[in-house]
């Protein structure tokens, strides 16, 4: 009952207190932290679930099981129990026959409910418009890729023979709903009904076939099924999930999501610093209230309870409203990227909103509690002697807790513990360095002040007079401008990065199987058409057989190990390292350390494949090339940019070694989409060449980038808003001091213009000093990032050296004069009364 | 029985590593219902003595008994509890909470004591001090005299045994000050409350039954001449 009475008393005071600037800013800062967290986490939650959904369209299901052996029926029973939908496919390679032509094809025979997710992209004529169809071929019909039809010289409606059955070509298969498998396989794909497989009679003892199960259903059922499956899968069975597929669409969107999380984190940190400043001033303003309450007989416990309840109400209002506003705003953010999302978006969940609510409230409580707890230590004698200030509570504990909380929040937003630790600890250090540097800068500038313009001299004298406040203000402003500059530049780099990823004219076709004898003619045909092509890369097909003389079949039992071991690899040669690749370990061919035996066949291996094969520099790797064994030694590991829409290779040989084997060439080129029919003529001239179109993928990626750019712009606004709140909080922290001074100056006869001039000088100096500090630290951070982390050349950001001081001057003067409007307007008596 | 008794009280402060004696071996007894004025020059330690007697501050040595309870052996919360049950205050600068209305300011000590009829009592006292029409005004909407009336209402509302007043007319003009003094003494007599006030206004001091003079930390009783 007593607690309720105290709570009601605190609530009444809290309501009456809402008029104070500190309280409003405290609520606003909490609100913005909650808005930022709730908006971004709701957005990310829906986006990642939508991406999952989208990715599931690329594997035709939510979950797949792939095996070279028949999959246990027990799996299907369990899936049915859990309410999951199920479909099966059987795959094999076989010869297709028509018009006296033979062609090896990769067949996927599917049930009538295939695909469970996504669509098959089909066309009714060569290079015709693709239609998205959610269906499987009917018995007796097949859907085949253009290249099969071209090789077999057949058209839609014609018959082809597969084994002992004759099937009719119904449609051209442009894209299979299940896009797994190599894009650059030399054989075309063919989709047929599962019911026709037996009639073909191509499957017998020892046939190389594969089985695939597709499952789709609710998130919970899928999670249950996955955990049930885990202990039951044998080495030959590979579980395929949406994560694998996400890599193909997730790159750009993932980066955007990371950026949004980072920006959100910065906005929360800005809000947290604002909360700290407001809470400090709020607690100082309430020393008298606390003293009076103590004087009127309130116990320390009661005083503490009253202020903690008030803080809780502030947290509640800020966090609840902020999280709800954030939830509403995430719809706006989603609307910006709506075009690239599927129609049936995953429904919004309330969990991210609740988590954000709790986090924002915790941020306020932990940061503001230390100064607020000071209040119950106020001596009641302060009612008689104002100079008595409370002994400060152990703020260290709260500081450590706040840092832990910040790391937790950073982790929640970025999902990377390392990044979170570096970010938060780095930031705490940065604030500390700002404090030290601002003192040093003020002292240094004071020494050379006689050489400075009069405005700066006056401002410097003013700042130096209130050294303690000036230092914290400079540090806070420098923090604001560094954050804004950082987020601005990262945004620019992100956009540049995206634009360079898919610039206009990015290759939208790959040509494979170009015979060496036809290479020059093919290049001529391309140049006659006015097309820009990539280099021609030689390609030899080979199977990786041994690692350090141990067969890979022994190293990786059954079908375990990377997919690269299960198929023939496309190998190439080159004597120069490509510009978009980098050596991560070892040496490129022209840089092999002296003393190595000359007869060694050196190779360069893609780093991720090397990691999965457990291969390192100097290891022996053997290949089977057209029946001939070739033993090689790993000279270097390379990082490869897989998303550059150019031919990329796992293994690069030296020209001397590989060129003696039978090879073809591959290149990529850009052909305007409306000129698709020219490919028919090209194909007639170069019959062996297969052209693969990837225009659809490019369109999809471009769309994603354009839409995510908008989302990034939106979050930048939120960061700026938080920066403004922190700016006001910083300015308010010295408002009493300024009021007191202004009142005395006015009493002594100073005009409004004089006071305005003093304030202006002080703010101009503050803006210039803090922006100088911000620019120095920003350049320092970017230098470290570029040189140490990204390993690229660094250049100073010249435009920022103009932009940041201007922004600082504009914003500090505007916000400063707004915050000080009473100081200039009110009479000295009013000002003194207010302070008392 | 003495409602308040100070025995050999000393108070010293350490300023810039130098010890400064403010009160030295001071003793005082005040009977229930009595009115006492503590007078002296600025800086003589009047406010410090008032703070010690009211349990707002701690002694360096000696004892202070309020209603027979030794304040010097109590902790902060013990003294707060004594203040809540027995003591009322009136200050020179009124000490009203700026964001609360007159009514809420008067209700404050009652609410801290969890009084059931806080609102009715507070309204009654504001009526007694002549502010029935200003219940919902905030301190900055009231004149200095009106603010001190609110402070008086707040002090009497919790029915204290002893009332401490620190320069109650110090911030008011002569006429308003006299009105406030009249109000204070009338209520004091009516409620039979012990009053201890600090002032350097001789006229105000003369209205008290007893006067003590504080100089250089030493207290001396003034003999009143009729």
């Amino acid at each position: 009952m007593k607690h309720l009475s105290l709570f009601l008393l605190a609530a009444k005071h809290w309501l009456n207190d809402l008029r104070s600037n500190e309280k409003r800013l405290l609520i606003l800062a909490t609100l913005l932290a909650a808005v930022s967290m709730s908006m971004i986490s709701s957005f990310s939650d829906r986006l990642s679930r939508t991406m999952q959904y989208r990715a599931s369209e690329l594997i035709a299901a939510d979950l797949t099981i792939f095996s070279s052996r028949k999959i246990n029926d027990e799996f299907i029973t369990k899936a049915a129990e859990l309410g999951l939908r199920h479909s099966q496919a059987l795959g094999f390679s076989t010869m297709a026959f028509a018009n006296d032509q033979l062609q090896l094809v990769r067949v996927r025979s599917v049930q009538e409910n295939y695909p469970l997710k996504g669509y098959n992209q089909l066309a009714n004529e060569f290079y015709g418009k693709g239609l998205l169809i959610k269906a499987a071929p009917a018995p007796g019909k097949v859907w085949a890729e253009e290249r099969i039809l071209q090789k077999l010289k057949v058209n839609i409606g014609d018959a082809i023979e597969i084994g002992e059955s004759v099937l009719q070509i119904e449609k051209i298969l442009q894209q299979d709903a299940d896009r797994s498998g190599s894009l650059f396989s030399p054989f075309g794909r063919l989709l047929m009904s599962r019911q026709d497989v037996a009639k073909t009679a191509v499957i017998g003892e020892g046939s190389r076939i594969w089985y695939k199960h597709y499952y789709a259903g609710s998130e919970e059922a899928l999670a249950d099924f996955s955990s049930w499956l885990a202990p039951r899968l044998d080495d030959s069975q590979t579980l395929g999930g949406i994560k694998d597929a996400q890599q193909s669409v997730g790159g750009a969107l993932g980066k955007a999501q990371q950026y949004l999380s980072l920006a959100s984190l910065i906005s929360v940190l800005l809000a947290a610093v604002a909360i700290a400043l407001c809470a400090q001033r709020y607690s100082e303003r309430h020393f008298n209230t606390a003293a009076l309450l103590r004087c009127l007989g309130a116990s320390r416990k009661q005083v503490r309870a009253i202020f903690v309840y008030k803080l809780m109400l502030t947290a509640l209002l800020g966090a609840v409203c902020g999280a709800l506003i954030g939830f509403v705003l995430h719809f706006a953010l989603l609307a910006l990227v709506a075009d690239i999302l599927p129609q049936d978006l995953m429904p919004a969940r309330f969990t991210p909103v609740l988590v954000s609510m709790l986090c924002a409230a915790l941020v306020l409580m932990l940061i503001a509690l230390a100064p607020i707890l000071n209040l119950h230590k106020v001596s009641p004698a302060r009612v008689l002697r104002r100079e008595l200030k409370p002994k400060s509570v152990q703020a260290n504990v709260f500081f450590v807790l706040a840092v832990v909380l910040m790391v937790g929040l950073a982790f929640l937003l970025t999902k990377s513990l390392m990044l979170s630790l570096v970010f938060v600890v780095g930031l705490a250090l940065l604030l500390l360095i700002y404090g030290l540097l601002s003192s040093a800068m003020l002292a240094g500038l004071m020494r050379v002040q006689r050489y400075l313009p009069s405005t700066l001299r006056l401002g410097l004298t003013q700042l130096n007079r209130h050294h303690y406040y000036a230092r914290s203000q400079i540090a806070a402003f420098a923090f604001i401008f560094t954050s804004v500059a950082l987020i601005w530049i990262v945004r620019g780099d992100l956009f540049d990065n995206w634009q360079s990823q898919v610039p206009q004219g990015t290759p939208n076709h790959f040509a494979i199987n170009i015979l060496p004898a036809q290479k020059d003619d093919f290049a001529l045909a391309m140049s006659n058409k006015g097309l820009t092509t990539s280099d021609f890369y030689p390609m030899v097909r080979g199977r990786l057989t041994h690692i350090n003389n141990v067969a890979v079949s022994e190293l990786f039992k059954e079908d375990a190990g990377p997919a690269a071991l299960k198929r023939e690899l496309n190998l190439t040669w080159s004597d120069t390292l490509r510009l978009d690749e980098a050596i991560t370990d070892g040496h490129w061919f022209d840089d092999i350390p002296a003393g190595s035996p000359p007869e060694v066949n050196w190779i360069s291996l893609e780093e991720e494949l090397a990691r999965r094969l457990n291969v390192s520099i100097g290891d022996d790797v053997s290949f089977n090339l057209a029946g001939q064994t070739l033993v090689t030694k790993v000279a270097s590991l390379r990082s490869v940019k897989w998303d550059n829409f150019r031919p990329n290779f796992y293994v690069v040989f030296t020209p001397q070694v590989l060129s003696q084997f039978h090879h073809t060439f591959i290149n990529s080129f850009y052909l305007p989409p409306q000129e698709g029919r020219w490919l028919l003529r090209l194909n007639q001239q170069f019959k062996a060449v297969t052209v693969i179109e990837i225009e659809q993928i490019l369109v999809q990626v471009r769309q994603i980038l354009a839409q995510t750019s908008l989302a990034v712009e939106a979050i930048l606004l939120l960061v700026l808003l938080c920066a403004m709140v922190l700016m006001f909080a910083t300015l308010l922290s010295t408002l009493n001091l300024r009021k007191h001074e202004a009142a005395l100056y006015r009493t002594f006869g100073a005009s409004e213009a004089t006071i305005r001039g003093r304030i202006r000088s002080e703010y101009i100096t503050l803006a210039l000093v803090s922006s100088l500090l911000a620019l120095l630290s920003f350049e320092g951070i970017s230098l470290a990032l570029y040189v140490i982390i990204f390993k690229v050349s660094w250049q100073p950001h010249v435009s920022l050296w103009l932009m940041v001081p201007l922004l600082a001057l504009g914003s500090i003067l505007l916000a400063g004069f707004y915050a000080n409007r009473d100081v200039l307007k009110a009479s000295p008596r009013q000002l003194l009364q207010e302070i008392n | 029985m003495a409602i308040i008794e100070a025995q050999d009280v000393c108070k010293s402060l350490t300023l810039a590593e130098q010890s400064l004696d403010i009160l030295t071996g001071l003793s005082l007894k005040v009977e229930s219902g009595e009115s006492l004025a503590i007078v002296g020059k600025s800086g003589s330690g009047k406010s410090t003595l008032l703070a010690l007697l009211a349990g707002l501050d701690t002694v360096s040595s000696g004892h202070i008994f309020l209603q027979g309870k030794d304040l010097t052996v109590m902790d902060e919360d013990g003294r707060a509890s004594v203040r809540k049950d027995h003591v009322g205050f009136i200050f020179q600068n009124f000490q009203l909470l700026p964001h609360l209305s007159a009514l809420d300011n008067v209700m404050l000590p009652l609410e801290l004591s969890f009084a059931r009829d806080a609102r009715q009592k507070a309204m009654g006292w504001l009526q007694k001090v002549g502010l029935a029409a200003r219940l919902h005004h905030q301190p900055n909407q009231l004149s200095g005299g009106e603010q001190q009336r609110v402070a008086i209402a707040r002090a009497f509302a919790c029915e204290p045994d002893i009332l401490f007043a620190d320069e109650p007319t110090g911030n008011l003009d002569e006429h308003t000050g006299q009105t406030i003094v009249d109000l204070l003494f009338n209520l004091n007599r009516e409620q039979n409350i012990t009053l201890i006030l600090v002032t350097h206004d001789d006229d105000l001091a003369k209205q008290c039954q007893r006067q003590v003079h504080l100089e250089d930390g030493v207290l001396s009783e003034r003999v009143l001449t009729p």
Side-chain angles (χ1 to χ4, degrees), chain A residues 9 12 19 294 300 383, chain B residues 76-77 83 95 111 138:
Chain A
L9 180 65
K12 189 163 73 178
R19 275 183 289 264
R294 301 277 291 125
R300 283 172 184 232
V383 289
Chain B
E76 273 294 335
D77 282 344
R83 285 197 297 274
Q95 292 288 3
E111 285 174 319
Q138 288 193 307

Side-chain angles (χ1 to χ4, degrees), chain A residues 391-468:
Chain A
K391 285 179 199 150
S392 108
V393 292
Q394 278 293 321
N396 299 353
V397 180
F398 290 97
F399 180 73
V400 170
L401 282 176
V403 168
V404 171
L405 176 75
M406 283 296 159
V407 173
L409 278 184
F411 181 72
L412 199 75
L413 290 166
T414 63
K415 305 277 186 292
S416 157
L417 186 63
M418 195 60 196
L419 187 69
S420 312
L421 275 172
V422 168
F423 198 80
V424 174
V425 175
L427 219 99
L429 277 179
L430 199 67
L431 280 174
L432 197 73
I433 293 168
Y434 282 159
L436 296 174
L437 274 183
S438 52
S439 290
M441 276 177 84
L442 272 183
L445 285 170
M446 280 306 281
R447 282 215 187 99
V448 295
Q449 61 163 320
R450 62 175 174 279
Y451 306 112
L452 299 173
S454 59
T455 307
L456 289 185
R457 268 208 311 276
L458 183 64
L460 266 178
T461 318
Q462 282 280 94
L463 289 179
N464 219 44
R465 201 172 284 159
H466 310 299
H467 187 257
Y468 171 76

Side-chain angles (χ1 to χ4, degrees), chain A residues 2 5-6 9 12-13 16-17 19 286 289 292-302 306 379-381 383-386, chain B residues 13 47-48 50-51 56-57 76-77 80-81 83-84 89 91 93 95 97 99-100 104 107-109 111-112 114 138 154 166:
Chain A
K2 282 188 176 176
S5 305
L6 269 184
L9 180 65
K12 189 163 73 178
H13 284 222
N16 285 311
D17 222 10
R19 275 183 289 264
H286 283 77
T289 308
L292 184 70
L293 288 172
R294 301 277 291 125
C295 182
L296 295 177
S299 66
R300 283 172 184 232
K301 219 169 146 186
Q302 282 179 320
I306 288 173
S379 163
V383 289
L384 299 171
R385 297 213 315 270
R386 279 289 170 90
Chain B
L13 291 175
S47 293
T48 306
L50 185 86
L56 294 177
D57 205 352
E76 273 294 335
D77 282 344
S81 171
R83 285 197 297 274
K84 188 166 64 184
F89 288 96
F91 304 99
N93 50 11
Q95 292 288 3
L97 291 183
H99 53 270
L100 294 188
D104 284 330
M107 279 168 69
L108 188 59
E111 285 174 319
L112 285 173
F114 308 110
Q138 288 193 307
R154 181 179 65 188
D166 180 31

Side-chain angles (χ1 to χ4, degrees), chain A residues 663-716:
Chain A
H663 58 270
T664 56
F665 286 88
I666 175 173
N667 86 339
S668 58
F669 59 92
Y670 174 76
L671 178 73
Q674 65 275 16
E675 300 199 39
R677 296 196 67 79
W678 176 77
L679 292 173
L680 271 177
R681 267 188 292 156
L682 185 78
N683 202 261
Q684 276 158 10
Q685 192 186 345
F686 303 98
K687 294 200 166 44
V689 174
T690 303
V691 174
I692 300 164
E693 190 197 326
I694 54 161
E695 178 64 24
Q696 282 312 310
I697 299 175
L698 278 179
V699 167
Q700 189 184 31
V701 171
R702 280 214 185 86
Q703 217 176 10
I704 289 172
L705 297 185
Q707 304 289 328
T708 41
S709 303
L710 275 174
V712 165
E713 301 279 348
I715 197 74
L716 189 70

Side-chain angles (χ1 to χ4, degrees), chain A residues 555-768:
Chain A
L555 288 170
F556 303 97
K557 294 287 178 204
E558 298 286 343
D559 281 296
L565 295 177
K566 293 171 202 155
R567 58 181 166 88
E568 284 198 312
L569 290 172
N570 295 318
L571 315 170
T572 192
W573 73 75
S574 176
D575 48 12
T576 50
L577 180 67
R578 275 164 54 165
L579 287 175
D580 54 357
E581 295 183 351
I583 299 292
T584 55
D585 196 7
H587 302 271
W588 186 247
F589 305 134
D590 56 4
D591 194 23
I592 305 279
S596 309
E599 69 278 6
V600 171
N601 299 320
W602 295 108
I603 57 164
S604 176
L605 210 55
E606 192 263 343
E607 58 176 351
E608 184 56 25
L609 178 66
R611 189 187 63 74
R612 296 184 65 188
L613 293 175
N614 202 17
V615 167
S616 47
I617 302 294
D619 282 351
D620 287 336
V621 180
S622 307
F623 293 90
N624 183 320
L625 305 174
Q628 196 179 330
T629 299
L630 184 65
V631 182
T632 66
K633 206 177 257 308
V634 179
S636 61
L637 303 183
R638 282 170 305 128
S639 63
V640 174
K641 270 190 84 166
W642 292 106
D643 55 0
N644 62 3
F645 300 99
R646 291 192 173 84
N648 289 302
F649 299 89
Y650 281 121
V651 193
V652 181
F653 287 67
T654 57
Q656 301 86 311
V657 178
L658 210 61
S659 54
Q660 51 190 302
F661 289 91
H662 169 73
H663 58 270
T664 56
F665 286 88
I666 175 173
N667 86 339
S668 58
F669 59 92
Y670 174 76
L671 178 73
Q674 65 275 16
E675 300 199 39
R677 296 196 67 79
W678 176 77
L679 292 173
L680 271 177
R681 267 188 292 156
L682 185 78
N683 202 261
Q684 276 158 10
Q685 192 186 345
F686 303 98
K687 294 200 166 44
V689 174
T690 303
V691 174
I692 300 164
E693 190 197 326
I694 54 161
E695 178 64 24
Q696 282 312 310
I697 299 175
L698 278 179
V699 167
Q700 189 184 31
V701 171
R702 280 214 185 86
Q703 217 176 10
I704 289 172
L705 297 185
Q707 304 289 328
T708 41
S709 303
L710 275 174
V712 165
E713 301 279 348
I715 197 74
L716 189 70
L717 271 179
L718 195 73
V719 174
L720 288 177
L721 213 61
C722 289
M724 281 306 284
V725 172
L726 176 54
M727 190 170 277
F728 270 108
T730 313
L731 290 168
L732 274 183
S733 65
T734 54
L735 197 61
N736 261 3
L737 198 71
R738 221 176 285 285
K739 276 183 181 170
H740 202 174
E741 272 188 2
L744 291 178
Y745 285 138
R746 295 285 289 277
T747 312
F748 298 149
S751 67
E752 190 187 314
T754 311
I755 295 171
R756 194 183 284 275
R758 292 187 85 89
I759 294 177
R760 191 170 42 231
S761 305
E762 192 179 327
Y763 283 152
I764 288 175
T765 317
L766 202 58
L768 293 180

